[in-house]
Amino acid sequence: MKRKIAIVGDLHFGLKDSSPSYFAYQKKFFDDVLVPECKKHGVTDIVFLGDLFHSRNVLSIRMFHDVRNLFLDLKANGFECYALLGNHDICYKNSYEVNSAKMLLGDMFFWTGSDGYLVQGNCVLFDWRNSREEYLELFERVK
């Protein structure tokens, strides 16, 4: 089966102090644009390029609930979802282990994991990294 991929970046859920009206605007994008256009064009996979969440340390319970339901809807619509970590998704600058995205969305996504990359067919997806050296190290591991 041929796969088609949609790429979405920098959603920053929880922006503006987890404003319900701002989230409603983001949800409208999913409901009125992303899902219908992906279905129309036969998209099978959606890759989120990081910064799913805005704050490294604070996320309201309501925002957790709303975002989780949004991504459950994507799965219910048959999309495979992949996520990379962005700098806003990690709690500590020098560690990728504690991150809001994986903690809140867990097994709904395919993750790059502790390796920092995910190989999918002929494509390699890399998480956000702190330095050039970290990227060079990842490139060496993928070879």
Side-chain angles (χ1 to χ4, degrees):
M1 177 178 147
K2 188 173 180 179
R3 316 285 302 171
K4 275 191 163 180
I5 301 171
I7 299 174
V8 180
D10 294 276
L11 290 167
H12 286 272
F13 288 116
L15 191 66
K16 301 193 182 286
D17 295 322
S18 294
S19 161
S21 61
Y22 195 79
F23 176 76
Y25 175 75
Q26 292 173 302
K27 185 174 183 334
K28 185 172 174 47
F29 165 73
F30 274 68
D31 293 344
D32 295 352
V33 179
L34 183 64
V35 170
E37 288 299 315
C38 285
K39 284 182 172 183
K40 176 180 166 184
H41 295 284
V43 168
T44 55
D45 304 349
I46 302 174
V47 177
F48 295 91
L49 294 180
D51 290 349
L52 290 174
F53 297 96
H54 184 67
S55 175
R56 290 174 183 250
N57 299 306
V58 179
L59 188 62
S60 77
I61 293 170
R62 188 196 70 256
M63 185 59 58
F64 164 78
H65 172 80
D66 292 345
V67 171
R68 187 162 175 79
N69 284 337
L70 192 66
F71 286 108
L72 283 170
D73 287 346
L74 287 179
K75 296 295 280 185
N77 275 289
F79 298 110
E80 291 292 344
C81 297
Y82 300 81
L84 305 178
L85 295 178
N87 63 318
H88 283 248
D89 298 319
I90 59 174
C91 187
Y92 305 109
K93 253 175 101 171
N94 61 350
S95 171
Y96 305 97
E97 184 152 342
V98 178
N99 67 80
S100 58
K102 189 169 184 180
M103 184 178 3
L104 296 178
L105 301 172
D107 60 356
M108 288 193 294
F109 281 79
F110 292 100
W111 295 93
T112 51
S114 60
D115 291 333
Y117 65 89
L118 173 71
V119 176
Q120 186 67 17
N122 292 328
C123 184
V124 180
L125 306 173
F126 291 99
D127 281 340
W128 178 84
R129 292 291 145 176
N130 285 307
S131 68
R132 180 178 187 275
E133 290 75 26
E134 286 187 55
Y135 278 112
L136 293 175
E137 179 186 318
L138 282 177
F139 284 120
E140 285 300 315
R141 281 193 276 163
V142 171
K143 283 185 179 178

